[in-house]
Amino acid sequence: MLGYAFMGKAHSNAFRKIAYITWPPPLEPRLVGIAGRDEAAVAEAAERYGYEYATDDWRTLVEDERIGLFDNGGPNALHAEPTIAAAEAGKHVICEKPLGRDAEESYEIWKRVAATGVKHLCAFNYRFVPAVRLARELVEAGELGEVRHFRARYLQDWADDVSLDTWRFHADEAGSGALGDLMAHVVDLARFLNGEVEAVMGFTKTFVPGRQVDDAVESAVEFANGSVGTLEATRFAHGRRNALQWELNGTKGSLAFDMERLNELQVFRADGDRARGFKTVLVSEADHPFWQHWWPPGHIIGWGDTFVHELHHMLQAIAGDTDVAPYGATFEDGYRAAEICDAIVASGASAQRERISYRTL
Amino acid sequence: MLGYAFMGKAHSNAFRKIAYITWPPPLEPRLVGIAGRDEAAVAEAAERYGYEYATDDWRTLVEDERIGLFDNGGPNALHAEPTIAAAEAGKHVICEKPLGRDAEESYEIWKRVAATGVKHLCAFNYRFVPAVRLARELVEAGELGEVRHFRARYLQDWADDVSLDTWRFHADEAGSGALGDLMAHVVDLARFLNGEVEAVMGFTKTFVPGRQVDDAVESAVEFANGSVGTLEATRFAHGRRNALQWELNGTKGSLAFDMERLNELQVFRADGDRARGFKTVLVSEADHPFWQHWWPPGHIIGWGDTFVHELHHMLQAIAGDTDVAPYGATFEDGYRAAEICDAIVASGASAQRERISYRTL
Amino acid sequence: MLGYAFMGKAHSNAFRKIAYITWPPPLEPRLVGIAGRDEAAVAEAAERYGYEYATDDWRTLVEDERIGLFDNGGPNALHAEPTIAAAEAGKHVICEKPLGRDAEESYEIWKRVAATGVKHLCAFNYRFVPAVRLARELVEAGELGEVRHFRARYLQDWADDVSLDTWRFHADEAGSGALGDLMAHVVDLARFLNGEVEAVMGFTKTFVPGRQVDDAVESAVEFANGSVGTLEATRFAHGRRNALQWELNGTKGSLAFDMERLNELQVFRADGDRARGFKTVLVSEADHPFWQHWWPPGHIIGWGDTFVHELHHMLQAIAGDTDVAPYGATFEDGYRAAEICDAIVASGASAQRERISYRTL
Amino acid sequence: MLGYAFMGKAHSNAFRKIAYITWPPPLEPRLVGIAGRDEAAVAEAAERYGYEYATDDWRTLVEDERIGLFDNGGPNALHAEPTIAAAEAGKHVICEKPLGRDAEESYEIWKRVAATGVKHLCAFNYRFVPAVRLARELVEAGELGEVRHFRARYLQDWADDVSLDTWRFHADEAGSGALGDLMAHVVDLARFLNGEVEAVMGFTKTFVPGRQVDDAVESAVEFANGSVGTLEATRFAHGRRNALQWELNGTKGSLAFDMERLNELQVFRADGDRARGFKTVLVSEADHPFWQHWWPPGHIIGWGDTFVHELHHMLQAIAGDTDVAPYGATFEDGYRAAEICDAIVASGASAQRERISYRTL
């Protein structure tokens, strides 16, 4: 594990829970080593989460032959080099989103890692929310018909404070602001639920003078399937703590979702029922995605549990040599998300619609 | 009254209720004449709503010296000529939105009517929803701080039917589709709550082959006050019947609204209360806008009642020779909304950001 | 019309709207006279609502042969005598709820009025909320299966103020407090949606020392159909303005409702759909109850509009000599509601379950 | 650990997470042994959750001197004997709710265990929902004023199936149905948030012919603090999966909660703000109860996580020799809940109000 803070905690918790919440687990995770910059902090993290050792040099992990899976939860500037090195050392790799700081770096990571043949997963964990997966299944089954609209926004509210400082505000470490942090999730869910984005018109915005990264992103988009919508992200929406909200409208029905109520999916079916309206579906039934692992209906799960599903999926892919795609995000998905994010930046700069073309290997 | 269908009914109902719901009324409306194309239908409407006579020629109304206020609720193609004629005959005028079929026509109506000196109101009735007016008052009082975001969408779902026909699908009568019908409302509320729109990037979309007007509109926008957001409108959002939804985020708090629950305003205050969250405010208190006319708290009003407030406002302006602006929309507001709508169309055509400049008289 | 305040306004508004909102109206209401205690106020009300004359003696109305329908919206102590007198003078009668101040008085009113053969309606207007009527239709059609539970509560919050005084706190005028004012509505809807109440255990509660009437009512009840539940009413629930909330659970599904969102019905169908949940039905479709009178879908109505439906129903009954029951509440319904309310008081006094038997004529 | 199914999984998960989610943990849990009736199943559970051994005889655990804490998650009939034996062997004890199958058995367990001096916790885990604890803190701080009402209901919907069989339907194993399973939780939260219950009127109901236990419970109650309300529980409310809903109304405000949205607390403050309404508080802030252990704001937790808080509380009490009460439920609380449940049964049988007196040691 690289990183011991927010994502380090989230991933470590998941690795530990997989061993008994999913049963039998596809592989029994063994927590070998954890790396981080602050020696004391990483040592404490190792003790806390049960890693066999701590190191302040991620290369130690890369060189450790006992390690078969390298999980990169470090800051964005530390995604490329360690991830590539680990893959080239033959380890399967997980990398937190955004994959790279821009499309170029993301492409490089994907290309280099794909060349090694290891399994790779870009940790867009919101694909592993049961309500999101259920949505995907409904769309795949054609229950929404032809899609007309997909609109989404990721609203948070913590950044409207000039005195605040974090690596997330430093261009060299983060690459971008709300764009890579929040919009990347929006874009990935848009692709996951509605397919490729073809063109964008939009821009980023920085409200705080002197801040190096964007605070918000606004865009109007066109999808390959002919549907249209808006995609947004901001850290300046007071009262919205973790509100990744999306809505999909099709010819046979609609879906809507809010991450602050992540156990719920709003489902509308144009089925002619006189009692017509959106259902509030509590996604916690025995036949709902991932619920074979959990509790009786209505006993909801938490945000942290999405990582259990995600890392379980990766372990299954490794154990069975199956594909990470399409339910998990691969590094190609990480790269494509970055292309779209970059296109929005480009659109803001050029004041023009940007058509997106994706590179292949 | 010109028009006897949807808007004719809504306005006539309001004129009749003003006489006793608002007390004492600023003026006692006398329903003199009503005009429409279908002779039998307009005759029945006159009987139904209590107009003294019916006519299939709107010029009869214009020439009737007893009429002091001409209310144009006809289809969009019939906005310009009758409204201008009535004003030039010295009558105060109300015109349904959109004012004209495009900015050019809207400007012409405004210019010609303004030159006569009569009162003019463009019937953006959603300004007269109590929750919307309360929002405006909170913004004006500085309770939201500096605005960062305004996002809005008007979602309906009735048009996804190739067999459907209505004047609203005919380019010559309607001018546009979701743009003039729905987006005009969105744009007017954006301006009412957050000030002028400076630039747009976006486009319109027609899903049904052969349909002459747009089915949906998507845009990312920049406001003069530095805030940014997205504005959308569609007739293709299954499950959304009349969902004009907007959200405003400021440095001191946020507001959110949905027309399907028009008696409610969501209010977030960044006041440091440990119990932090959006309030669901039932806008029905004695000290809430327009509630001096109505019932005890919690006894909600309906969509039709917004016209009571709007036409009451117009009668007050006439009776007291006061300004329709800023709480009522004037023809200048109608024109400005059209400029923004046209700019979105232009942006779609040019694939470029369109900066908006407003003409003056 | 007897009464010119809250109910006088609500009924007068309805009579005026029936003339054109329902078309053609079953009868064209002519507002002949209005009575009230305060001479100046009733004169102003006559002018405001368009009554031909005002009087401070309700007997004038009873004696006026031009009046065919007597509508009693006065305080509870003035329900019995004027209503009976009007009926005995051959006029159809409407009486606000509660019918009498207790079951005994209510029975007397019913018996005396029924003997005259006129039409009688006890103004339980919440039967005429579209969502409530839709609920009734769904229950009648068997779409909920066998009912297991009906629970309801009417929560308001205006009475927690020792300095407040109103006729509603005087035992002689009001008869009771939350019981007759709010619980009567709860009980009527319980009967309307779920049939007769057979037994109650419960009590009333007065929080404010010295107040003559109850502030709240609590009960656990058994219905004739074998279902069970709780019924409550209070004027001491801060934050609840007009929250008449009920829920019905049957073997095939459930319904839930809140008067503060009176245009919505929550509908759950146990139909095996994997996407399982309550639908939020906006009761505003062309095929929904009462919507032939109103607007396009999603353009919601207000609390005051329920009286339009109710009085329209009464005019239909008069015009067509049809029954007020079962969709309108007759005086028998008014009496039965009073029996249940009295039984709760009796249960509180006796500390025992009270089985209810209803008197017949 | 006694029990390996639903509660065994929930408690084991919590013991494992405490070791790293709470940091530093008050005690590092060591999972020594697990007991259950089905030899193969308990062996698998030991392997799954990491217990050192499995046994089909709970006495083995009682006799194991390495075990300092005995956690009883077995069926109700197995609560008394093993729990008492473990305490008498000097082990601290946790027992799932309901403590005993009735008040008599519950009292016996409490008396016998209290005599040993060990720590005892009755696992009413809903006290450890952050929103519930926040509610308790607000009540304790006087922010709600004097309480007028507490109403609650626990609605589930799985039992309306005559073909279904489970130990929960057997009188000898379960003691009761919805009463001990669901109503016990309702009663405990009522006491936790609003103090002692003094009197009840109510009854239980069995819908399915031949079923040995109750399906639903209805009651009207009086609290020692003068407030009144209703308490209900049912397994027959279609569409409600795990809906433990409660509302508290005080002279300064109100609170409302639904377990299906367990991260949210509805808070109304009667503070004179013109924008008046219930706040939807996402209880996930750094200064909210238990959130020192978790994620950034808005990243919600799940139902299973309430056990982490509960068992952490017990470990703290053991480590620091502090009281389990008042935030954790002791066996006295388990006994008192049983007294209230029994009083409702008694009230149904006697058809009378039952005043409750609690036994002491």
Side-chain angles (χ1 to χ4, degrees):
Chain A
M1 183 84 219
L2 169 56
Y4 52 81
F6 183 25
M7 283 301 130
K9 181 178 178 182
H11 287 235
S12 299
N13 172 51
F15 282 127
R16 294 190 60 141
K17 288 186 75 162
I18 283 168
Y20 59 89
I21 281 287
T22 75
W23 190 255
L27 290 171
E28 178 100 21
R30 176 175 161 202
L31 304 186
V32 179
I34 185 166
R37 278 176 291 195
D38 180 327
E39 206 170 341
V42 75
E44 187 182 20
E47 186 193 351
R48 179 173 183 176
Y49 301 116
Y51 290 89
E52 297 173 12
Y53 66 84
T55 172
D56 61 356
D57 183 358
W58 55 263
R59 287 173 189 81
T60 309
L61 303 182
V62 168
E63 290 159 10
D64 189 329
E65 297 196 348
R66 295 170 304 166
I67 293 178
L69 171 61
F70 181 85
D71 184 347
N72 190 338
N76 303 348
L78 264 182
H79 284 184
E81 193 184 357
T83 302
I84 293 167
E88 293 183 343
K91 299 178 198 321
H92 302 293
V93 286
I94 295 170
C95 184
E96 259 305 320
K97 40 59 58 183
L99 182 57
R101 281 165 295 182
D102 57 19
E104 185 58 38
E105 189 177 63
S106 301
Y107 181 75
E108 180 72 12
I109 300 174
W110 172 38
K111 190 181 66 176
R112 296 277 294 277
V113 168
T116 69
V118 303
K119 303 287 178 195
H120 44 90
L121 178 138
C122 183
F124 283 117
N125 61 305
Y126 292 150
R127 291 183 177 211
F128 292 90
V129 172
V132 171
R133 174 68 76 87
L134 177 59
R136 163 84 185 220
E137 292 178 9
L138 293 171
V139 170
E140 276 186 342
E143 298 195 27
L144 281 304
E146 198 177 328
V147 179
R148 300 307 198 179
H149 292 291
F150 185 83
R151 66 185 65 83
R153 49 197 165 274
Y154 200 155
L155 311 178
Q156 293 188 349
D157 71 353
W158 55 272
D160 199 350
D161 177 351
V162 294
S163 70
L164 201 63
D165 195 21
T166 146
W167 68 266
R168 294 182 183 278
F169 291 160
H170 296 183
D172 55 349
E173 285 184 278
S176 66
L179 188 76
D181 184 20
L182 306 181
M183 193 60 152
H185 274 303
V186 171
V187 158
D188 184 65
L189 284 193
R191 293 184 63 250
F192 186 58
L193 294 169
N194 196 34
E196 291 304 338
V197 175
E198 271 197 345
V200 302
M201 298 181 83
F203 53 87
T204 60
K205 174 82 181 182
T206 301
F207 294 112
V208 175
R211 187 164 288 172
Q212 300 171 20
V213 298
D214 60 278
D215 292 323
V217 194
E218 308 290 335
S219 67
V221 303
E222 298 165 71
F223 290 87
N225 63 5
S227 65
V228 296
T230 55
L231 303 179
E232 303 181 71
T234 183
R235 292 163 168 172
F236 276 67
H238 263 310
R240 305 299 179 190
R241 281 315 220 174
N242 196 35
L244 173 42
Q245 307 170 334
W246 55 259
E247 177 167 333
L248 181 152
N249 307 124
T251 52
K252 292 184 182 173
S254 291
L255 302 174
F257 175 80
D258 186 338
M259 192 65 69
E260 291 186 352
R261 289 178 173 166
L262 68 84
N263 293 275
E264 298 178 15
L265 183 67
Q266 301 286 324
V267 178
F268 178 83
R269 294 185 186 281
D271 58 6
D273 188 349
R274 190 184 180 208
R276 178 190 203 277
F278 276 86
K279 281 183 195 179
T280 300
V281 178
L282 201 52
V283 186
S284 62
E285 300 294 319
D287 66 347
H288 284 170
F290 310 114
W291 271 84
Q292 71 272 25
H293 304 314
W294 297 101
W295 317 107
H299 295 68
I300 65 173
I301 61 165
W303 171 88
D305 297 323
T306 62
F307 293 92
V308 174
H309 307 156
E310 183 178 51
L311 302 188
H312 177 263
H313 179 76
M314 183 63 169
L315 296 187
Q316 276 186 318
I318 294 169
D321 193 17
T322 55
D323 287 342
V324 168
Y327 295 112
T330 64
F331 282 7
E332 181 173 13
D333 293 306
Y335 154 68
R336 289 190 168 220
E339 277 289 7
I340 300 168
C341 288
D342 279 16
I344 298 171
V345 175
S347 177
S350 68
Q352 295 191 327
R353 171 189 298 133
E354 297 290 332
R355 300 210 163 272
I356 300 169
S357 59
Y358 300 99
R359 297 167 70 183
T360 52
L361 292 182
Chain B
M1 186 81 219
L2 170 54
Y4 52 83
F6 183 26
M7 282 302 131
K9 181 177 177 182
H11 286 236
S12 299
N13 172 51
F15 281 127
R16 294 191 62 140
K17 288 185 77 162
I18 284 169
Y20 60 89
I21 281 286
T22 76
W23 189 256
L27 290 172
E28 177 99 24
R30 176 176 161 201
L31 302 185
V32 178
I34 184 165
R37 276 177 292 196
D38 179 326
E39 205 169 341
V42 75
E44 187 181 20
E47 187 193 351
R48 177 172 183 177
Y49 302 116
Y51 289 90
E52 297 172 11
Y53 66 83
T55 172
D56 61 358
D57 182 359
W58 55 261
R59 288 173 188 82
T60 308
L61 303 183
V62 169
E63 290 159 11
D64 189 330
E65 297 196 347
R66 295 170 304 164
I67 293 177
L69 171 62
F70 181 85
D71 184 346
N72 190 340
N76 303 348
L78 264 181
H79 284 184
E81 192 183 358
T83 302
I84 293 168
E88 293 184 344
K91 299 177 199 320
H92 302 294
V93 287
I94 295 169
C95 186
E96 259 305 319
K97 41 60 57 182
L99 184 56
R101 280 164 297 182
D102 57 19
E104 185 57 38
E105 188 176 65
S106 301
Y107 181 75
E108 180 71 12
I109 300 174
W110 172 38
K111 191 181 69 175
R112 296 276 295 277
V113 169
T116 68
V118 302
K119 303 287 180 198
H120 43 90
L121 179 139
C122 184
F124 284 116
N125 61 305
Y126 293 149
R127 292 184 175 211
F128 292 91
V129 172
V132 171
R133 174 68 76 86
L134 178 58
R136 164 83 185 220
E137 292 178 10
L138 293 171
V139 170
E140 276 186 342
E143 298 195 30
L144 282 302
E146 197 177 329
V147 180
R148 300 306 199 178
H149 292 291
F150 185 84
R151 64 185 67 84
R153 50 197 166 275
Y154 200 156
L155 310 179
Q156 293 188 348
D157 70 352
W158 55 272
D160 200 349
D161 179 351
V162 292
S163 70
L164 201 64
D165 195 22
T166 145
W167 69 265
R168 293 181 183 278
F169 291 160
H170 297 182
D172 55 347
E173 286 184 276
S176 66
L179 187 77
D181 184 22
L182 306 182
M183 193 61 154
H185 273 302
V186 171
V187 158
D188 184 64
L189 284 193
R191 294 183 61 250
F192 186 59
L193 294 169
N194 195 35
E196 291 304 338
V197 175
E198 270 196 347
V200 301
M201 297 181 83
F203 52 87
T204 61
K205 174 83 181 183
T206 302
F207 294 112
V208 175
R211 188 165 285 171
Q212 300 172 20
V213 297
D214 61 278
D215 293 320
V217 194
E218 310 289 334
S219 68
V221 303
E222 297 165 71
F223 290 86
N225 64 5
S227 63
V228 295
T230 55
L231 303 179
E232 303 180 70
T234 183
R235 294 164 167 170
F236 276 67
H238 263 309
R240 306 298 181 191
R241 280 316 219 175
N242 196 35
L244 173 42
Q245 306 170 336
W246 55 259
E247 177 167 333
L248 181 151
N249 307 123
T251 53
K252 293 186 183 173
S254 291
L255 303 174
F257 174 81
D258 185 339
M259 191 64 69
E260 291 186 351
R261 289 179 173 166
L262 68 85
N263 293 275
E264 299 178 15
L265 184 66
Q266 301 287 324
V267 179
F268 178 83
R269 294 184 186 282
D271 57 6
D273 188 349
R274 189 185 182 208
R276 178 190 204 277
F278 276 85
K279 281 183 195 177
T280 300
V281 178
L282 201 51
V283 185
S284 62
E285 300 294 319
D287 65 347
H288 284 169
F290 310 115
W291 271 83
Q292 71 275 23
H293 305 313
W294 297 102
W295 318 107
H299 295 68
I300 65 173
I301 61 166
W303 171 86
D305 297 324
T306 63
F307 293 91
V308 174
H309 307 155
E310 182 177 52
L311 301 187
H312 177 263
H313 179 76
M314 183 63 170
L315 296 187
Q316 277 185 319
I318 294 169
D321 193 17
T322 55
D323 287 342
V324 168
Y327 295 112
T330 65
F331 283 7
E332 182 173 12
D333 293 306
Y335 154 68
R336 289 190 168 221
E339 277 288 7
I340 299 167
C341 287
D342 279 16
I344 297 171
V345 175
S347 177
S350 69
Q352 295 191 328
R353 171 189 296 131
E354 297 290 332
R355 300 210 163 271
I356 300 168
S357 60
Y358 300 99
R359 298 165 70 182
T360 53
L361 291 182
Chain C
M1 185 82 220
L2 170 55
Y4 52 82
F6 184 24
M7 283 301 130
K9 182 178 177 182
H11 287 235
S12 299
N13 172 52
F15 282 127
R16 293 191 61 140
K17 288 185 75 161
I18 283 168
Y20 61 88
I21 281 286
T22 75
W23 190 256
L27 290 171
E28 178 98 24
R30 177 176 160 200
L31 304 186
V32 178
I34 184 166
R37 275 176 292 196
D38 179 327
E39 206 170 341
V42 74
E44 188 182 18
E47 187 193 352
R48 179 173 183 176
Y49 301 116
Y51 289 88
E52 297 173 12
Y53 67 84
T55 172
D56 61 357
D57 183 357
W58 56 262
R59 288 174 188 80
T60 308
L61 302 182
V62 168
E63 290 160 9
D64 189 329
E65 296 196 348
R66 295 170 304 165
I67 294 177
L69 171 61
F70 180 85
D71 184 347
N72 190 340
N76 303 348
L78 263 181
H79 284 183
E81 191 184 359
T83 302
I84 293 167
E88 293 183 342
K91 298 177 200 318
H92 301 293
V93 286
I94 295 170
C95 185
E96 259 304 320
K97 41 60 56 184
L99 183 56
R101 282 165 294 181
D102 57 19
E104 185 58 38
E105 189 176 64
S106 300
Y107 181 76
E108 180 73 11
I109 300 174
W110 173 39
K111 189 180 69 175
R112 296 277 295 276
V113 168
T116 69
V118 302
K119 303 286 179 197
H120 43 90
L121 178 140
C122 184
F124 283 117
N125 61 304
Y126 293 148
R127 292 184 175 211
F128 292 90
V129 173
V132 171
R133 174 68 77 86
L134 178 58
R136 164 83 186 221
E137 292 177 9
L138 293 171
V139 170
E140 275 186 341
E143 297 194 29
L144 281 304
E146 197 177 329
V147 179
R148 301 306 199 179
H149 291 292
F150 185 84
R151 65 185 66 83
R153 48 199 166 275
Y154 199 155
L155 311 179
Q156 293 189 348
D157 71 352
W158 54 272
D160 199 351
D161 178 350
V162 294
S163 69
L164 200 65
D165 195 21
T166 146
W167 68 265
R168 292 181 184 279
F169 291 159
H170 296 182
D172 55 346
E173 285 184 278
S176 66
L179 188 75
D181 185 20
L182 305 181
M183 193 60 152
H185 273 303
V186 170
V187 158
D188 185 63
L189 284 193
R191 293 184 61 250
F192 186 58
L193 294 169
N194 197 34
E196 291 304 338
V197 175
E198 271 196 346
V200 301
M201 297 181 84
F203 52 87
T204 61
K205 174 84 181 182
T206 301
F207 293 112
V208 175
R211 188 164 286 171
Q212 300 171 21
V213 298
D214 60 278
D215 291 322
V217 193
E218 309 290 335
S219 67
V221 303
E222 298 165 71
F223 289 86
N225 64 6
S227 64
V228 296
T230 55
L231 303 179
E232 302 181 72
T234 182
R235 292 164 167 171
F236 275 68
H238 262 310
R240 306 298 180 191
R241 280 316 220 174
N242 196 35
L244 173 42
Q245 307 169 336
W246 55 259
E247 177 168 333
L248 181 152
N249 307 124
T251 52
K252 293 184 181 172
S254 291
L255 303 173
F257 175 81
D258 185 339
M259 192 64 69
E260 291 186 353
R261 288 178 174 166
L262 68 86
N263 292 275
E264 298 178 15
L265 183 67
Q266 302 286 324
V267 178
F268 178 83
R269 295 186 186 279
D271 58 5
D273 189 349
R274 190 183 180 209
R276 178 189 203 276
F278 275 85
K279 283 183 192 177
T280 300
V281 178
L282 201 52
V283 185
S284 63
E285 300 294 319
D287 65 347
H288 284 170
F290 310 115
W291 271 83
Q292 71 274 24
H293 305 313
W294 297 101
W295 318 107
H299 294 70
I300 66 174
I301 61 166
W303 170 87
D305 298 324
T306 62
F307 292 92
V308 174
H309 306 155
E310 182 178 53
L311 301 188
H312 177 263
H313 179 77
M314 182 63 169
L315 296 187
Q316 277 186 318
I318 293 170
D321 194 15
T322 55
D323 287 341
V324 168
Y327 296 111
T330 65
F331 282 8
E332 181 172 12
D333 292 306
Y335 154 68
R336 289 188 168 221
E339 277 288 7
I340 299 168
C341 288
D342 279 15
I344 298 171
V345 175
S347 177
S350 68
Q352 296 190 326
R353 171 189 296 132
E354 297 289 332
R355 300 209 162 272
I356 300 168
S357 60
Y358 300 100
R359 297 166 71 183
T360 53
L361 291 182
Chain D
M1 186 81 221
L2 169 55
Y4 53 81
F6 184 24
M7 282 302 130
K9 181 178 177 183
H11 286 236
S12 299
N13 172 51
F15 281 127
R16 295 190 62 139
K17 288 186 74 161
I18 284 168
Y20 59 88
I21 280 287
T22 75
W23 190 257
L27 289 171
E28 178 99 22
R30 175 176 161 201
L31 303 185
V32 179
I34 184 165
R37 276 177 291 194
D38 178 327
E39 207 170 339
V42 75
E44 186 182 20
E47 186 193 350
R48 178 173 183 175
Y49 301 116
Y51 289 89
E52 298 173 12
Y53 66 84
T55 172
D56 61 356
D57 182 358
W58 55 263
R59 287 175 188 81
T60 309
L61 303 182
V62 169
E63 289 159 11
D64 188 330
E65 296 197 348
R66 296 170 303 166
I67 293 177
L69 171 61
F70 181 85
D71 185 346
N72 190 340
N76 303 348
L78 264 181
H79 285 185
E81 192 184 358
T83 302
I84 292 168
E88 292 183 343
K91 299 177 197 321
H92 302 294
V93 286
I94 295 170
C95 185
E96 260 303 320
K97 41 59 59 182
L99 182 57
R101 281 166 294 181
D102 57 20
E104 186 58 38
E105 189 177 63
S106 301
Y107 180 75
E108 180 72 11
I109 301 173
W110 172 39
K111 191 181 68 176
R112 296 277 293 277
V113 168
T116 69
V118 303
K119 303 287 180 197
H120 44 89
L121 178 139
C122 183
F124 284 116
N125 62 305
Y126 293 149
R127 292 184 175 212
F128 292 90
V129 172
V132 171
R133 174 68 78 87
L134 178 58
R136 164 82 185 221
E137 293 178 9
L138 293 170
V139 170
E140 276 186 342
E143 297 195 31
L144 282 303
E146 196 177 330
V147 180
R148 301 307 198 178
H149 292 291
F150 185 83
R151 64 185 67 82
R153 49 198 165 275
Y154 200 156
L155 311 179
Q156 293 188 348
D157 70 352
W158 54 273
D160 199 350
D161 179 350
V162 292
S163 69
L164 201 64
D165 195 21
T166 145
W167 69 265
R168 292 182 184 278
F169 291 160
H170 296 184
D172 55 348
E173 286 184 277
S176 67
L179 188 76
D181 184 21
L182 306 181
M183 193 59 153
H185 274 303
V186 171
V187 158
D188 184 63
L189 284 192
R191 294 184 60 250
F192 186 58
L193 294 169
N194 197 34
E196 291 304 338
V197 175
E198 271 196 347
V200 301
M201 297 180 85
F203 53 87
T204 60
K205 174 84 181 181
T206 302
F207 293 112
V208 175
R211 189 164 285 171
Q212 299 171 21
V213 298
D214 61 277
D215 292 321
V217 194
E218 310 290 334
S219 68
V221 303
E222 297 165 71
F223 290 86
N225 65 5
S227 64
V228 295
T230 55
L231 303 180
E232 302 180 72
T234 183
R235 293 165 167 171
F236 276 68
H238 263 310
R240 306 297 180 191
R241 280 316 221 175
N242 196 35
L244 173 42
Q245 306 170 336
W246 55 258
E247 177 167 334
L248 181 152
N249 306 124
T251 53
K252 293 184 181 174
S254 292
L255 303 174
F257 175 81
D258 185 339
M259 192 64 68
E260 291 186 351
R261 289 178 173 166
L262 67 85
N263 292 275
E264 299 179 16
L265 184 67
Q266 301 287 324
V267 179
F268 178 84
R269 295 185 186 281
D271 58 5
D273 188 348
R274 190 184 181 210
R276 176 190 204 277
F278 276 85
K279 282 183 194 178
T280 300
V281 178
L282 202 51
V283 185
S284 61
E285 300 294 319
D287 66 348
H288 284 170
F290 309 113
W291 271 83
Q292 71 274 23
H293 305 314
W294 298 102
W295 318 108
H299 295 67
I300 65 173
I301 61 166
W303 171 86
D305 297 324
T306 62
F307 292 92
V308 174
H309 307 155
E310 182 178 50
L311 302 187
H312 177 263
H313 179 77
M314 182 63 170
L315 296 187
Q316 277 186 319
I318 294 169
D321 193 16
T322 56
D323 287 341
V324 168
Y327 296 112
T330 64
F331 282 7
E332 181 172 13
D333 292 306
Y335 155 67
R336 288 190 169 218
E339 277 288 7
I340 299 168
C341 288
D342 279 15
I344 297 171
V345 175
S347 177
S350 69
Q352 295 192 329
R353 172 189 294 133
E354 297 290 331
R355 300 211 162 270
I356 300 169
S357 60
Y358 299 99
R359 297 166 71 181
T360 52
L361 291 182

